[in-house]
Amino acid sequence: PCAGRLDLSGLPLGADVTFCDASGQCVRRLAITETHELTVKDLPTGLLFMTVTAQNEVLLRQRIVSL
């Protein structure tokens, strides 16, 4: 589960982070900054799918539960 901030250390700066709901609809898009932390407190609650991409390559795909 995540609430507040999400730490994405180890992933490249500028990588795109997309959060989609169970129906596949994109609910938020962000880019990784130098802090490697994303504020996720505004995400809708429930099951979401997070995909991190850089240079058209999927680096990470993960299910998360937003509280």
Side-chain angles (χ1 to χ4, degrees), residues 2-17:
C2 70
R5 294 189 179 273
L6 185 62
D7 182 7
L8 296 174
S9 297
L11 293 170
L13 294 176
D16 295 314
V17 183

Side-chain angles (χ1 to χ4, degrees), residues 39-61:
T39 301
V40 293
K41 64 182 178 182
D42 297 332
L43 288 174
T45 58
L47 179 64
L48 298 173
F49 297 90
M50 178 182 73
T51 304
V52 180
T53 57
Q55 299 177 0
N56 295 322
E57 182 179 341
V58 175
L59 305 176
L60 177 69
R61 185 171 285 145

